[in-house]
């Protein structure tokens, strides 16, 4: 399935592969790319049978960031108004291109190679897990252009990237590689074959109970905004909903019988 001739989605064995497919421009973000990313994410939000998602880029890079030809367009975020207008829930269009992945009910794994600058880094940061090539080139690039990161990076980096490291990399916009990205918290793992590792991990996740995985993602996403009492109750509610369900019983049986589980999708 193709979205705006910019992003393709293929689904096989419960794993969706989302490919940023503007290789001639290093998958830079123009109007059509923003729309395509959001359309692909929105499609997967309700797609039947999808249990995990891999997000990658075609060609030499994951995403070079904002297409420089868009810099002079005051409406480049497509809001039809002000950047502060909330066009997609609590976000504007550019922010939602990153937040749409965090909002999916299933885990998303970004496979990053080549260049991953600015907005591209923030799109990758929307994934639950990021596998980055050791020689990838990353940067929090916006200050170079007299701007600040504004595609949900400050939400998505919170809890992952150490505060003083983020400040340094933002103020200086210096490049760092995939090995450094893993040390800094921008990446989960550095791997010379990021797409291969991401696909293997996605298939492993897809073999688990989809209701348990979805419940875990929802719980993990909520707890950063809850106090201790609310977290304890949220755990209990989530567990209560899973216990003795069809998939939970099947998970126990499959584990005891040392076989693959036969799960049903929500």
């Amino acid at each position: 399935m193709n979205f705006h001739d910019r992003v393709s989605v293929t689904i096989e064995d419960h794993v969706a592969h989302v490919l940023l497919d503007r290789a001639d421009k290093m998958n830079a973000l123009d109007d059509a790319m923003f729309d395509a990313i959001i359309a692909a994410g929105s499609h997967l939000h309700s797609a039947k049978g999808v249990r995990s998602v891999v997000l990658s880029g075609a060609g030499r890079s994951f995403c070079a960031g904002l297409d420089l030809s868009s810099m002079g367009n005051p409406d480049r975020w497509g809001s039809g108004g002000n950047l502060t207008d909330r066009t997609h829930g609590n976000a504007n269009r550019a922010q939602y291109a990153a937040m749409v992945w965090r909002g999916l009910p299933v885990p998303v794994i970004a496979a990053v190679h080549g260049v991953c600058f600015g907005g591209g880094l923030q799109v990758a940061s929307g994934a639950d897990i990021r596998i980055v090539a050791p020689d990838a080139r990353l940067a929090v690039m916006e200050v170079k252009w007299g701007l600040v990161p504004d595609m949900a990076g400050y939400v998505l980096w919170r809890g992952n990237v150490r505060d003083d490291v983020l400040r340094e990399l933002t103020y200086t916009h210096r490049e760092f590689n995939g090995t450094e990205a893993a040390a800094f918290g921008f990446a989960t793992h550095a791997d010379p074959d990021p797409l291969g590792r991401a696909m293997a991990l996605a298939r492993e996740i897809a073999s688990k109970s989809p209701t348990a995985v979805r419940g875990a993602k929802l719980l993990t996403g909520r707890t950063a905004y809850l106090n201790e009492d609310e977290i304890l109750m949220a755990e209990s509610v989530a567990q209560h909903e899973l216990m003795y369900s069809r998939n939970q019983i099947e998970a126990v049986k499959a584990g005891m019988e040392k076989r693959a589980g036969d799960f049903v999708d929500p």
Side-chain angles (χ1 to χ4, degrees):
M1 186 173 297
N2 191 281
F3 297 88
H4 302 279
D5 295 322
R6 290 287 191 273
V7 176
S8 66
V9 176
T10 56
I11 301 174
E12 184 177 352
D13 296 330
H14 302 289
V15 176
H17 183 194
V18 179
L19 183 68
L20 308 183
D21 198 5
R22 196 188 181 206
D24 60 320
K25 297 292 186 180
M26 292 173 37
N27 303 312
L29 301 165
D30 63 357
D31 277 349
M33 182 65 91
F34 278 117
D35 287 341
I37 290 172
I38 290 171
S42 299
H43 169 74
L44 289 173
H45 196 280
S46 57
K48 301 295 184 183
V50 172
R51 299 181 184 176
S52 60
V53 175
V54 171
L55 176 63
S56 72
R60 296 179 293 132
S61 294
F62 177 79
C63 177
L66 184 66
D67 188 330
L68 294 183
S69 66
S70 299
M71 291 290 286
N73 176 11
D75 190 33
R76 62 185 177 274
W77 301 143
S79 64
N82 194 287
L83 278 176
T84 58
D85 292 341
R86 304 294 86 181
T87 57
H88 294 75
N90 63 352
N92 63 30
R93 182 179 69 159
Q95 291 167 333
Y96 196 63
M99 291 297 291
V100 67
W101 307 111
R102 189 57 56 92
L104 286 190
V106 299
V108 179
I109 306 163
V112 176
H113 74 292
V115 169
C116 184
F117 288 164
L121 179 57
Q122 292 171 85
V123 170
S125 297
D128 298 72
I129 298 163
R130 288 156 300 284
I131 313 295
V132 180
D135 62 353
R137 299 168 56 200
L138 304 93
V140 184
M141 189 62 76
E142 286 77 8
V143 166
K144 179 176 181 178
W145 309 116
L147 301 169
V148 297
D150 72 332
M151 282 179 54
Y154 284 109
V155 173
L156 299 169
W157 297 326
R158 181 174 55 186
N160 289 328
V161 182
R162 207 175 75 191
D163 180 78
D164 58 339
V165 171
L166 179 59
R167 290 171 186 263
E168 179 212 343
L169 294 174
T170 302
Y171 302 159
T172 64
H173 59 81
R174 75 170 177 87
E175 288 187 25
F176 51 99
N177 63 34
T179 302
E180 292 175 301
F184 294 156
F186 287 97
T188 313
H189 303 290
D191 193 285
D193 182 12
L195 182 57
R197 183 162 179 180
M199 292 299 295
L201 180 55
R203 287 191 290 267
E204 180 182 356
I205 291 170
S207 73
K208 312 301 182 183
S209 165
T211 45
V213 171
R214 286 173 176 240
K217 175 164 181 173
L218 180 61
L219 192 59
T220 303
R222 291 181 60 206
T223 52
Y225 305 96
L226 303 178
N227 62 37
E228 181 179 289
D229 292 347
E230 292 168 333
I231 292 171
L232 293 173
M233 179 57 74
E235 288 179 349
S236 299
V237 170
Q239 196 77 305
H240 177 75
E241 293 174 349
L242 290 170
M243 287 181 67
Y244 307 114
S245 65
R246 191 267 186 208
N247 278 349
Q248 193 267 319
I249 293 171
E250 171 60 12
V252 173
K253 287 182 176 179
M256 296 288 289
E257 297 169 8
K258 295 181 171 49
R259 60 171 174 80
D262 179 21
F263 299 113
V264 296
D265 291 286

